């Protein structure tokens, strides 16, 4: 079961991915993915197209979402898997989270203009398949286009990460809200790419304990953001806190992602995969 080629976290043009939902599904199928979840940021719009394409290809599909959360002065991401996309509380909650993105995008554009990078907001909007979801990734693609940096990773490193000139603080959903919306919509909650968060060992333990106590289900143990050492470290934490394990590429597009769909390393054999609880 742990050898199933599952990819339970990826993005489309409904949020900050570069491929339309149907094309994401076709690429996953071509890569041998056997179980796929589309998990756009704070958005459900891509799910109908993705589900229809998966059905046409005979690919098992799981509706998902990735919710932006503010916790201990950091932005975390919680993936919801197997959610009911028609759940009213989830829809309303995500609309509330998306509502703050317009203001953040305008502030990022203003901060970049302050250091001499003009037209960044307009440039980011051209890359956004969904104008209601302008993200840092869209700004990054524009800055690469105009030659400010050589790639998206470099833009984040020098302009859009915490402490850099284009970084803008923003308050997202609470951890409690995100878990409530996911569980209320019949889904399973997963902490996405924990290796990306700047948390001490003690803070990580506090996060996982709180997440588990709120009804959280799993950790992304294997994902595009983790190296081999991190995979083993988060496998140990999954065991420590009695959480299931997830596997994901966090694919955003062929040019933007460290690994392709379906290419994450397999889970350690003793962990319980989160997909054993997905219908």
């Amino acid at each position: 079961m742990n050898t199933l080629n599952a990819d339970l976290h990826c993005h489309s043009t409904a949020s900050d991915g570069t491929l339309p939902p149907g094309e994401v599904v076709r690429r996953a199928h071509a890569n041998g993915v056997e179980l796929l979840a589309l998990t756009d940021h704070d958005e459900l719009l891509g799910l109908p197209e993705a589900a229809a394409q998966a059905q046409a290809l005979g690919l098992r599909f799981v509706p998902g979402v990735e919710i932006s959360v503010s916790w201990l002065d950091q932005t975390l991401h919680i993936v919801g898997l197997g959610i009911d996309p028609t759940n009213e509380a989830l829809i309303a909650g995500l609309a509330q989270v998306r509502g703050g993105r317009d203001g953040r995008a305008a502030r990022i554009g203003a901060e970049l203009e302050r250091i001499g990078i003009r037209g960044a907001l307009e440039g980011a909007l051209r890359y956004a398949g969904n104008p209601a979801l302008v993200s840092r990734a869209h700004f990054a693609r524009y800055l690469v286009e105009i030659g400010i940096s050589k790639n998206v990773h470099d833009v984040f490193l020098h302009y859009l990460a915490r402490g850099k000139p284009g970084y803008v603080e923003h308050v997202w959903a609470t951890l409690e809200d995100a878990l409530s919306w996911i569980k209320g919509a019949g889904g399973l909650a997963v902490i996405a790419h924990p290796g990306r968060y700047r948390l001490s060992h003690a803070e990580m333990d506090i996060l996982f304990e709180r997440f588990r106590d709120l009804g959280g289900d799993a950790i992304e143990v294997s994902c595009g953001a983790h190296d081999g050492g991190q995979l083993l470290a988060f496998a140990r934490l999954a065991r420590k806190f009695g959480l299931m394990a997830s596997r994901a590429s966090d694919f955003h597009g062929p040019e933007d992602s460290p690994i392709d769909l379906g290419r994450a390393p397999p889970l350690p054999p003793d962990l319980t995969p989160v997909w054993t609880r997905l219908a």
Side-chain angles (χ1 to χ4, degrees), residues 42 68-71 73-76 96-105 107-108 136 162 167-173:
D42 309 312
S68 306
V69 164
S70 294
W71 190 82
D73 197 32
Q74 290 210 37
T75 299
L76 310 180
Q96 177 184 327
V97 176
R98 290 195 306 273
R101 283 186 176 268
D102 286 347
R104 185 184 74 150
R107 294 196 302 275
I108 292 174
R136 291 184 298 165
R162 182 181 293 274
Y167 181 81
V168 170
E169 290 283 355
H170 186 74
V171 178
W172 303 104

Side-chain angles (χ1 to χ4, degrees), residues 25 33 38 56 69 93 110 124 130 143 148 168 191 199 239 253 268:
V25 173
V33 173
L38 181 67
V69 164
N130 180 353
L143 266 60
I148 296 293
V168 170
I191 298 179
L199 297 172
R239 297 180 192 105

Side-chain angles (χ1 to χ4, degrees), residues 205-220:
D205 278 1
I206 292 168
L207 170 62
F208 287 170
E209 183 175 23
R210 181 63 177 152
F211 174 76
R212 181 196 61 195
D213 292 349
L214 288 169
D217 299 285
I219 306 168
E220 263 181 25

Side-chain angles (χ1 to χ4, degrees), residues 21 26 59 74 80 83 110 121 133 139 141 149 156 164 179 190 211 220 223 228 232 253:
R26 288 191 291 274
L59 172 59
Q74 290 210 37
I83 46 114
L121 178 58
L133 267 166
F139 281 96
R141 289 170 195 150
S149 294
F156 272 86
K164 301 304 178 181
L179 270 290
V190 183
F211 174 76
E220 263 181 25
C223 71
L232 294 175

Side-chain angles (χ1 to χ4, degrees), residues 69-94:
V69 164
S70 294
W71 190 82
L72 281 192
D73 197 32
Q74 290 210 37
T75 299
L76 310 180
H77 292 145
I78 305 297
V79 165
L81 297 174
I83 46 114
D84 172 7
T86 68
N87 180 270
E88 292 185 4
L90 175 64
I91 291 170
L94 295 177

